[in-house]
Amino acid sequence: MIQAFEFSPFQENTYVIADETSGDAIVIDPGCYEQAEKEALSQFLDARKLTLKYILLTHAHLDHVFGLAYLKRRYGVPAYLHEREQVIYADVPTRCALYGLRGYEHSEIDAWLKEGDQFQIGSLTLDVLFTPGHAPGHVAFVNHADRYIVGGDVLFRGSVGRTDFPYCNHNDLLNSIRTKFFTLPDDYTVYAGHMDPTTIGHEKRTNPFVKIN
Ligand SMILES: [Zn+2]
Ligand SMILES: [Zn+2]
């Protein structure tokens, strides 16, 4: 089961992935900013009696980590990020101040993840792919059994991740899409960091920002 929430003024998608049999769960990119959003996320987990095991981050832009401190404190579970995101993550308090976002609470990353790592809850497995470009240590999480990728801010429905921020690289972004996303089967669903889901095949055929040949 995968459940999406859209949080914060940045309209960021936070995902809960749960293994129905064990009741174990993973949260990817906790972007809940307002207190009501944080409670909506924890109420979803608590009402279903889900046991949160991991918090995984596709990258460390502020809109993807607003709720990290809250979730870590409430559930006492580790947060994982790619090591190359350290520079981005360390900058979040400053960037929040620039945006005038006063409610942000910074917390610790517990462990680094990398391509090839797997996260398991019950019989559900997520495979980590390294997908830099929008951010230097951006990763995506693939569930091959259920045929989807939680892709962060790399490939959107009809669009691609921005590369006009510090530490972005547009060629790396296109390379990540071509070599990591477009090599997945066409029917795989893409759950992105913003906007509605899409599929690999739909974006291969219609995405104006990525030419296949
Ligand atoms: Zn981003
Ligand atoms: Zn984002």
Side-chain angles (χ1 to χ4, degrees):
M1 181 269 280
I2 178 161
Q3 173 74 35
F5 295 83
E6 191 184 79
F7 287 140
S8 89
F10 296 86
Q11 298 178 291
E12 183 267 356
N13 291 326
T14 294
Y15 294 99
V16 176
I17 292 172
D19 173 62
E20 321 268 354
T21 314
S22 62
D24 290 344
I26 292 172
V27 169
I28 299 179
D29 291 353
C32 34
Y33 178 68
E34 302 292 343
Q35 187 61 27
E37 294 177 335
K38 293 170 182 170
E39 285 168 13
L41 181 58
S42 49
Q43 276 165 18
F44 179 88
L45 294 166
D46 299 348
R48 284 159 188 76
K49 297 188 165 39
L50 296 173
T51 305
L52 186 59
K53 293 285 186 184
Y54 305 109
I55 304 167
L56 306 181
L57 303 172
T58 61
H59 63 302
H61 283 153
L62 74 174
D63 50 326
H64 296 252
V65 301
F66 283 145
L68 184 57
Y70 169 81
L71 220 51
K72 275 171 54 81
R73 187 170 54 247
R74 173 141 186 163
Y75 296 100
V77 296
Y80 291 75
L81 178 68
H82 194 284
E83 200 167 2
R84 288 197 196 168
E85 287 295 292
Q86 258 177 302
V87 60
I88 307 280
Y89 188 64
D91 203 33
V92 170
T94 306
R95 299 208 62 89
C96 283
L98 288 173
Y99 278 103
L101 299 163
R102 293 165 195 283
Y104 176 69
E105 183 189 348
H106 205 56
S107 63
E108 296 294 310
I109 301 297
D110 301 284
W112 308 121
L113 51 67
K114 61 183 188 309
E115 181 161 274
D117 286 353
Q118 291 189 322
F119 290 88
Q120 194 120 22
I121 46 167
S123 58
L124 188 155
T125 303
L126 293 180
D127 284 272
V128 179
L129 296 179
F130 182 53
T131 58
H134 172 72
H138 196 295
V139 298
F141 302 98
V142 185
N143 181 335
H144 287 292
D146 294 331
R147 307 183 77 77
Y148 65 77
I149 178 167
V150 178
D153 292 358
V154 176
L155 179 67
F156 298 117
R157 188 174 186 88
S159 188
V160 297
R162 291 173 62 168
T163 49
D164 56 334
F165 296 123
Y167 307 105
C168 289
N169 183 307
H170 194 68
N171 285 334
D172 287 352
L173 178 83
L174 294 179
N175 188 53
S176 290
I177 294 172
R178 291 192 182 110
T179 63
K180 302 292 172 68
F181 282 68
F182 283 1
T183 49
L184 295 169
D186 279 4
D187 69 301
Y188 273 39
T189 301
V190 181
Y191 293 104
H194 303 269
M195 299 185 274
D196 289 333
T198 184
T199 64
I200 295 293
H202 181 78
E203 297 315 311
K204 270 189 190 169
R205 288 189 304 275
T206 64
N207 194 301
F209 298 96
V210 202
K211 301 249 177 4
I212 296 179
N213 297 311

